Amino acid sequence: MKVLDAARLLGCPVLLLDATGLISFPHRHCPHCLVRRCGKKTVYYHHVLEAKLLGPAGIVISLDTEFIENADVVEAEGRSAEDVKQDCELKAASRMLPRIKEAYPQLRFVVAADNLYCCGRAFALVKELGWGLVVTFKEGRTPALWQEYQALLKERPKEVLRRQWGDGREEEFRWVRQMDYEDSEGREFTLNGLECRERRGKEEQYFAWVSTLPVGIKTVEEIARKGGRYRWKIENEGFNRQKNSGLNLEHVYSSDPEKWKAYYLLLQIAFMLTQLLERGSLLKRLAEETGKKVWELFGSLKNLARRLLESVRYEEWEEGWFGEAEGGRVRISFDTS
Ligand SMILES: [Zn+2]
Protein backbone atom coordinates (compact mmCIF):
# COMPACT_ATOMS: atom_id res chain seq x y z
CA MET A 1 0.00 0.00 0.00
CA LYS A 2 3.04 2.25 -0.52
CA VAL A 3 3.11 3.34 3.14
CA LEU A 4 6.76 2.28 3.37
CA ASP A 5 7.90 4.04 0.21
CA ALA A 6 9.22 7.14 1.96
CA ALA A 7 12.19 5.10 3.16
CA ARG A 8 13.22 3.99 -0.32
CA LEU A 9 16.73 4.77 -1.46
CA LEU A 10 16.94 6.03 -5.08
CA GLY A 11 13.57 4.34 -5.58
CA CYS A 12 14.65 0.98 -4.13
CA PRO A 13 13.49 -0.59 -0.87
CA VAL A 14 16.33 -0.97 1.63
CA LEU A 15 16.98 -4.39 3.10
CA LEU A 16 18.99 -4.41 6.32
CA LEU A 17 20.98 -7.52 7.12
CA ASP A 18 21.55 -7.97 10.80
CA ALA A 19 22.72 -10.96 12.81
CA THR A 20 22.63 -11.50 16.52
CA GLY A 21 23.43 -14.10 19.14
CA LEU A 22 20.36 -16.00 20.22
CA ILE A 23 21.46 -18.43 22.80
CA SER A 24 24.67 -19.94 24.18
CA PHE A 25 25.53 -22.84 26.47
CA PRO A 26 28.67 -24.21 28.12
CA HIS A 27 27.73 -27.66 26.78
CA ARG A 28 26.50 -29.05 23.49
CA HIS A 29 22.75 -29.23 23.65
CA CYS A 30 21.78 -30.15 20.09
CA PRO A 31 23.53 -31.49 16.98
CA HIS A 32 23.48 -28.06 15.29
CA CYS A 33 25.34 -25.86 17.77
CA LEU A 34 28.07 -23.59 16.50
CA VAL A 35 31.24 -24.15 18.49
CA ARG A 36 33.81 -21.63 19.63
CA ARG A 37 36.77 -22.06 21.92
CA CYS A 38 37.34 -19.23 24.42
CA GLY A 39 40.61 -19.91 26.24
CA LYS A 40 40.07 -23.23 27.98
CA LYS A 41 36.31 -23.11 27.66
CA THR A 42 34.21 -24.23 24.73
CA VAL A 43 31.01 -22.33 24.00
CA TYR A 44 28.09 -23.83 22.11
CA TYR A 45 25.88 -21.20 20.59
CA HIS A 46 23.24 -20.29 18.04
CA HIS A 47 23.00 -17.14 15.95
CA VAL A 48 20.30 -15.82 13.69
CA LEU A 49 20.39 -13.62 10.58
CA GLU A 50 17.44 -11.34 9.97
CA ALA A 51 16.53 -9.44 6.79
CA LYS A 52 14.59 -6.32 7.68
CA LEU A 53 12.82 -3.94 5.39
CA LEU A 54 13.43 -0.35 6.35
CA GLY A 55 10.32 1.79 6.71
CA PRO A 56 9.71 5.43 7.59
CA ALA A 57 9.58 6.64 11.21
CA GLY A 58 12.31 4.16 12.15
CA ILE A 59 10.25 1.03 11.73
CA VAL A 60 11.87 -2.20 10.60
CA ILE A 61 9.87 -5.09 9.26
CA SER A 62 11.27 -8.61 9.22
CA LEU A 63 11.12 -10.14 5.77
CA ASP A 64 13.00 -13.35 6.39
CA THR A 65 14.94 -15.26 9.01
CA GLU A 66 17.85 -17.65 8.61
CA PHE A 67 19.20 -19.54 11.58
CA ILE A 68 22.97 -19.81 11.59
CA GLU A 69 23.68 -23.34 12.68
CA ASN A 70 25.57 -26.39 11.61
CA ALA A 71 23.57 -28.76 9.47
CA ASP A 72 25.01 -32.00 10.77
CA VAL A 73 28.22 -31.20 12.51
CA VAL A 74 30.41 -33.92 13.86
CA GLU A 75 33.27 -33.02 16.05
CA ALA A 76 35.28 -35.64 14.32
CA GLU A 77 37.91 -37.39 16.30
CA GLY A 78 41.25 -35.70 16.29
CA ARG A 79 39.77 -32.49 14.93
CA SER A 80 39.16 -29.47 17.10
CA ALA A 81 35.87 -27.63 17.04
CA GLU A 82 37.45 -24.86 14.97
CA ASP A 83 38.50 -27.26 12.26
CA VAL A 84 34.99 -28.46 11.61
CA LYS A 85 33.59 -26.35 8.81
CA GLN A 86 30.99 -24.25 10.51
CA ASP A 87 28.06 -22.29 9.31
CA CYS A 88 28.52 -18.51 9.32
CA GLU A 89 26.64 -15.31 8.64
CA LEU A 90 27.77 -15.03 5.01
CA LYS A 91 26.73 -18.61 4.26
CA ALA A 92 23.37 -17.92 5.90
CA ALA A 93 22.96 -14.82 3.69
CA SER A 94 23.71 -16.94 0.61
CA ARG A 95 20.80 -19.19 1.58
CA MET A 96 18.40 -16.41 2.55
CA LEU A 97 18.75 -13.70 -0.12
CA PRO A 98 17.83 -15.90 -3.13
CA ARG A 99 14.72 -16.95 -1.17
CA ILE A 100 13.73 -13.29 -0.75
CA LYS A 101 14.31 -12.74 -4.46
CA GLU A 102 11.94 -15.59 -5.20
CA ALA A 103 9.27 -14.19 -2.87
CA TYR A 104 9.58 -10.62 -4.20
CA PRO A 105 10.78 -10.97 -7.78
CA GLN A 106 9.64 -7.47 -8.73
CA LEU A 107 11.49 -5.59 -5.99
CA ARG A 108 15.01 -4.42 -6.63
CA PHE A 109 16.37 -4.23 -3.11
CA VAL A 110 19.39 -2.34 -1.89
CA VAL A 111 21.14 -4.47 0.71
CA ALA A 112 22.56 -2.40 3.58
CA ALA A 113 25.01 -4.28 5.76
CA ASP A 114 28.08 -3.98 7.95
CA ASN A 115 31.73 -4.40 7.04
CA LEU A 116 31.55 -8.21 7.12
CA TYR A 117 29.74 -7.98 3.76
CA CYS A 118 32.52 -5.92 2.17
CA CYS A 119 33.92 -8.95 0.36
CA GLY A 120 33.78 -10.74 -2.99
CA ARG A 121 31.31 -13.32 -1.76
CA ALA A 122 28.70 -10.69 -0.84
CA PHE A 123 29.42 -8.55 -3.93
CA ALA A 124 28.89 -11.59 -6.17
CA LEU A 125 25.71 -12.65 -4.39
CA VAL A 126 24.05 -9.24 -4.67
CA LYS A 127 25.18 -8.84 -8.28
CA GLU A 128 23.65 -12.18 -9.20
CA LEU A 129 20.32 -11.11 -7.74
CA GLY A 130 20.40 -7.83 -9.66
CA TRP A 131 20.18 -5.80 -6.45
CA GLY A 132 22.18 -2.87 -5.08
CA LEU A 133 24.54 -2.79 -2.11
CA VAL A 134 25.74 -0.32 0.52
CA VAL A 135 28.26 -1.74 3.00
CA THR A 136 30.47 -0.20 5.63
CA PHE A 137 33.98 0.41 4.26
CA LYS A 138 37.03 -0.17 6.48
CA GLU A 139 40.67 -0.62 5.72
CA GLY A 140 41.16 -4.03 7.33
CA ARG A 141 38.66 -6.09 5.36
CA THR A 142 39.71 -4.97 1.86
CA PRO A 143 43.09 -3.22 2.18
CA ALA A 144 43.78 -2.92 -1.56
CA LEU A 145 40.38 -1.39 -2.27
CA TRP A 146 40.82 1.02 0.62
CA GLN A 147 44.20 2.15 -0.67
CA GLU A 148 42.81 2.68 -4.14
CA TYR A 149 39.95 4.69 -2.68
CA GLN A 150 42.27 6.93 -0.67
CA ALA A 151 44.53 7.51 -3.66
CA LEU A 152 41.66 8.36 -6.01
CA LEU A 153 40.08 10.61 -3.40
CA LYS A 154 43.18 12.82 -3.42
CA GLU A 155 42.90 13.22 -7.17
CA ARG A 156 39.32 14.46 -6.91
CA PRO A 157 39.29 17.43 -4.55
CA LYS A 158 36.27 18.91 -6.31
CA GLU A 159 33.99 15.93 -5.78
CA VAL A 160 32.63 17.19 -2.51
CA LEU A 161 29.29 18.25 -1.04
CA ARG A 162 29.07 20.30 2.15
CA ARG A 163 26.00 20.80 4.31
CA GLN A 164 25.67 23.27 7.17
CA TRP A 165 22.95 22.59 9.69
CA GLY A 166 21.18 25.03 12.01
CA ASP A 167 22.45 23.16 15.08
CA GLY A 168 26.09 23.87 14.20
CA ARG A 169 26.68 20.54 12.54
CA GLU A 170 28.65 20.36 9.32
CA GLU A 171 28.63 17.39 7.00
CA GLU A 172 31.12 16.80 4.23
CA PHE A 173 30.41 14.12 1.65
CA ARG A 174 33.04 12.85 -0.77
CA TRP A 175 33.06 10.00 -3.27
CA VAL A 176 34.98 8.01 -5.85
CA ARG A 177 33.28 6.34 -8.78
CA GLN A 178 34.22 3.13 -10.55
CA MET A 179 36.96 1.45 -8.62
CA ASP A 180 38.02 -1.93 -9.95
CA TYR A 181 38.21 -4.73 -7.44
CA GLU A 182 39.27 -8.33 -7.87
CA ASP A 183 38.71 -10.72 -4.99
CA SER A 184 40.87 -13.68 -4.00
CA GLU A 185 38.85 -15.95 -6.28
CA GLY A 186 39.48 -13.78 -9.33
CA ARG A 187 35.97 -12.32 -9.52
CA GLU A 188 35.96 -8.76 -10.82
CA PHE A 189 33.71 -5.96 -9.64
CA THR A 190 33.29 -2.25 -10.30
CA LEU A 191 32.47 -0.46 -7.07
CA ASN A 192 31.93 3.08 -5.82
CA GLY A 193 33.20 4.52 -2.55
CA LEU A 194 31.70 7.33 -0.50
CA GLU A 195 32.22 8.93 2.87
CA CYS A 196 30.67 11.38 5.28
CA ARG A 197 32.61 13.44 7.78
CA GLU A 198 30.46 15.09 10.40
CA ARG A 199 31.90 17.92 12.47
CA ARG A 200 30.39 19.65 15.46
CA GLY A 201 32.87 21.97 17.16
CA LYS A 202 35.95 19.88 17.82
CA GLU A 203 34.10 16.60 17.55
CA GLU A 204 34.39 14.69 14.33
CA GLN A 205 32.79 11.46 13.17
CA TYR A 206 33.79 9.60 10.05
CA PHE A 207 31.83 7.03 8.05
CA ALA A 208 32.67 5.34 4.75
CA TRP A 209 30.82 2.89 2.52
CA VAL A 210 31.27 0.81 -0.59
CA SER A 211 28.28 0.83 -2.91
CA THR A 212 27.11 -0.35 -6.29
CA LEU A 213 24.69 2.58 -6.55
CA PRO A 214 25.51 5.52 -8.83
CA VAL A 215 27.33 7.91 -6.51
CA GLY A 216 27.47 11.59 -7.49
CA ILE A 217 26.67 15.05 -6.26
CA LYS A 218 22.93 14.42 -6.56
CA THR A 219 22.87 11.01 -4.88
CA VAL A 220 25.73 10.90 -2.37
CA GLU A 221 23.75 12.39 0.48
CA GLU A 222 20.78 10.06 0.05
CA ILE A 223 22.99 6.97 -0.21
CA ALA A 224 24.96 7.96 2.89
CA ARG A 225 21.83 8.75 4.85
CA LYS A 226 19.35 6.05 3.90
CA GLY A 227 21.77 3.28 3.06
CA GLY A 228 24.52 4.04 5.51
CA ARG A 229 23.97 6.18 8.54
CA TYR A 230 20.33 5.38 9.07
CA ARG A 231 21.08 1.68 9.02
CA TRP A 232 23.90 2.25 11.46
CA LYS A 233 21.63 4.12 13.84
CA ILE A 234 18.83 1.60 13.95
CA GLU A 235 20.76 -1.56 13.19
CA ASN A 236 20.66 -2.87 16.68
CA GLU A 237 17.61 -1.08 17.91
CA GLY A 238 15.40 -3.94 16.80
CA PHE A 239 17.43 -6.65 18.51
CA ASN A 240 18.19 -4.48 21.53
CA ARG A 241 14.54 -3.88 22.08
CA GLN A 242 13.75 -7.53 21.54
CA LYS A 243 16.33 -8.41 24.18
CA ASN A 244 15.69 -5.69 26.72
CA SER A 245 12.09 -4.57 26.66
CA GLY A 246 10.23 -7.54 28.08
CA LEU A 247 10.18 -9.40 24.77
CA ASN A 248 12.93 -11.66 26.16
CA LEU A 249 14.63 -12.65 22.92
CA GLU A 250 17.43 -14.45 24.71
CA HIS A 251 15.38 -16.17 27.36
CA VAL A 252 15.57 -19.93 27.07
CA TYR A 253 11.93 -20.90 27.34
CA SER A 254 12.68 -24.36 26.14
CA SER A 255 15.78 -26.49 25.70
CA ASP A 256 14.31 -27.81 22.48
CA PRO A 257 15.91 -25.77 19.65
CA GLU A 258 12.86 -26.16 17.43
CA LYS A 259 10.70 -24.60 20.13
CA TRP A 260 12.82 -21.55 20.70
CA LYS A 261 13.05 -21.04 16.97
CA ALA A 262 9.26 -20.94 16.96
CA TYR A 263 9.40 -18.45 19.83
CA TYR A 264 11.86 -16.32 17.89
CA LEU A 265 9.60 -16.20 14.82
CA LEU A 266 6.50 -15.38 16.88
CA LEU A 267 8.48 -12.62 18.53
CA GLN A 268 9.24 -11.06 15.13
CA ILE A 269 5.51 -10.94 14.41
CA ALA A 270 4.77 -9.45 17.84
CA PHE A 271 7.46 -6.84 17.27
CA MET A 272 5.88 -5.84 13.96
CA LEU A 273 2.49 -5.38 15.60
CA THR A 274 4.05 -3.35 18.40
CA GLN A 275 5.77 -1.06 15.92
CA LEU A 276 2.62 -0.58 13.85
CA LEU A 277 0.76 0.54 16.96
CA GLU A 278 3.59 2.56 18.42
CA ARG A 279 4.65 4.44 15.30
CA GLY A 280 1.60 4.21 13.06
CA SER A 281 -1.34 6.54 12.80
CA LEU A 282 -4.03 4.31 14.35
CA LEU A 283 -3.53 5.33 17.98
CA LYS A 284 -2.92 8.95 17.02
CA ARG A 285 -6.28 9.00 15.29
CA LEU A 286 -7.99 7.31 18.22
CA ALA A 287 -6.41 9.80 20.63
CA GLU A 288 -7.56 12.74 18.52
CA GLU A 289 -11.08 11.38 18.38
CA THR A 290 -11.28 10.94 22.14
CA GLY A 291 -9.50 14.19 22.94
CA LYS A 292 -6.64 12.43 24.73
CA LYS A 293 -2.91 12.20 24.19
CA VAL A 294 -1.56 8.93 22.78
CA TRP A 295 0.11 7.87 26.03
CA GLU A 296 -3.06 8.59 27.98
CA LEU A 297 -4.92 5.93 26.04
CA PHE A 298 -3.19 3.01 27.72
CA GLY A 299 -0.68 4.50 30.14
CA SER A 300 2.34 2.80 28.60
CA LEU A 301 3.41 0.57 25.74
CA LYS A 302 3.66 -2.34 28.13
CA ASN A 303 0.04 -1.85 29.09
CA LEU A 304 -0.83 -1.77 25.43
CA ALA A 305 0.85 -5.14 24.92
CA ARG A 306 -1.03 -6.49 27.93
CA ARG A 307 -4.33 -5.28 26.53
CA LEU A 308 -3.55 -6.99 23.24
CA LEU A 309 -2.85 -10.22 25.07
CA GLU A 310 -6.13 -9.94 26.98
CA SER A 311 -8.00 -9.44 23.75
CA VAL A 312 -6.49 -12.64 22.37
CA ARG A 313 -7.56 -14.47 25.51
CA TYR A 314 -11.09 -13.21 25.90
CA GLU A 315 -12.30 -12.06 22.53
CA GLU A 316 -13.11 -14.32 19.71
CA TRP A 317 -11.48 -13.12 16.52
CA GLU A 318 -14.10 -13.16 13.83
CA GLU A 319 -13.16 -14.68 10.54
CA GLY A 320 -14.24 -11.57 8.67
CA TRP A 321 -11.49 -9.55 10.38
CA PHE A 322 -8.95 -11.39 8.28
CA GLY A 323 -10.84 -10.81 5.05
CA GLU A 324 -9.91 -8.21 2.51
CA ALA A 325 -13.15 -6.27 2.88
CA GLU A 326 -12.71 -5.70 6.61
CA GLY A 327 -8.92 -5.55 6.57
CA GLY A 328 -8.84 -3.12 3.66
CA ARG A 329 -10.69 -0.55 5.73
CA VAL A 330 -7.84 -0.32 8.21
CA ARG A 331 -5.14 1.97 6.91
CA ILE A 332 -2.00 2.72 8.85
CA SER A 333 0.31 5.52 7.79
CA PHE A 334 3.63 6.64 9.23
CA ASP A 335 5.15 9.98 9.99
CA THR A 336 7.54 10.56 7.09
CA SER A 337 8.91 13.92 8.19
ZN1 LIG B 1 22.52 -26.25 19.74
Side-chain angles (χ1 to χ4, degrees), residues 160-257:
V160 62
L161 173 73
R162 291 197 180 86
R163 289 262 186 249
Q164 291 279 359
W165 299 96
D167 58 3
R169 220 156 29 97
E170 187 197 286
E171 284 176 312
E172 184 183 293
F173 300 92
R174 305 191 67 197
W175 62 93
V176 171
R177 262 189 294 249
Q178 308 223 306
M179 299 183 288
D180 294 319
Y181 176 69
E182 189 182 325
D183 75 353
S184 55
E185 290 178 38
R187 292 176 288 207
E188 290 175 357
F189 306 96
T190 305
L191 302 159
N192 305 315
L194 66 150
E195 64 179 44
C196 172
R197 214 175 274 278
E198 184 182 307
R199 297 188 191 92
R200 189 200 296 264
K202 280 181 187 166
E203 260 177 69
E204 183 177 293
Q205 281 184 295
Y206 176 80
F207 310 89
W209 303 276
V210 166
S211 181
T212 56
L213 300 175
V215 182
I217 191 138
K218 287 188 180 141
T219 57
V220 67
E221 196 178 354
E222 188 178 342
I223 296 170
R225 229 179 276 298
K226 288 182 174 171
R229 295 208 56 189
Y230 194 55
R231 173 195 64 80
W232 178 75
K233 271 184 197 159
I234 66 162
E235 184 167 63
N236 284 311
E237 189 193 328
F239 280 137
N240 276 344
R241 285 196 55 196
Q242 290 179 16
K243 286 177 183 181
N244 303 319
S245 68
L247 292 164
N248 295 344
L249 176 67
E250 292 170 304
H251 187 81
V252 186
Y253 284 106
S254 165
S255 60
D256 177 349

Side-chain angles (χ1 to χ4, degrees), residues 1 321 323-331:
M1 291 154 89
W321 295 1
E324 256 176 63
E326 191 96 1
R329 297 216 316 261
V330 182
R331 285 200 76 101

Side-chain angles (χ1 to χ4, degrees), residues 130-143:
W131 295 353
L133 184 72
V134 182
V135 292
T136 308
F137 196 9
K138 284 181 185 164
E139 184 174 6
R141 186 110 175 110
T142 42

Side-chain angles (χ1 to χ4, degrees), residues 32-78:
H32 309 296
C33 294
L34 300 172
V35 186
R36 189 176 56 216
R37 189 139 293 169
C38 298
K40 283 185 181 166
K41 279 191 212 144
T42 306
V43 183
Y44 298 87
Y45 63 103
H46 286 251
H47 280 190
V48 64
L49 175 64
E50 197 67 29
K52 302 166 180 177
L53 182 67
L54 198 61
I59 69 163
V60 283
I61 294 177
S62 287
L63 279 197
D64 206 342
T65 300
E66 183 65 32
F67 293 97
I68 307 172
E69 56 182 22
N70 293 323
D72 39 56
V73 75
V74 251
E75 259 176 272
E77 293 197 14

Side-chain angles (χ1 to χ4, degrees), residues 52-109:
K52 302 166 180 177
L53 182 67
L54 198 61
I59 69 163
V60 283
I61 294 177
S62 287
L63 279 197
D64 206 342
T65 300
E66 183 65 32
F67 293 97
I68 307 172
E69 56 182 22
N70 293 323
D72 39 56
V73 75
V74 251
E75 259 176 272
E77 293 197 14
R79 289 202 299 170
S80 71
E82 291 87 347
D83 290 341
V84 179
K85 267 230 165 188
Q86 298 206 61
D87 197 11
C88 69
E89 187 174 338
L90 284 172
K91 288 186 194 168
S94 303
R95 295 193 296 271
M96 178 169 70
L97 295 187
R99 202 163 61 214
I100 296 177
K101 172 85 179 179
E102 216 179 294
Y104 306 94
Q106 305 296 333
L107 291 181
R108 189 178 173 269
F109 289 103

Side-chain angles (χ1 to χ4, degrees), residues 281-292 294 297-298:
S281 55
L282 285 181
L283 288 182
K284 246 186 230 165
R285 218 178 298 150
L286 183 64
E288 276 163 22
E289 280 168 17
T290 52
K292 288 183 180 170
V294 171
L297 288 172
F298 299 99

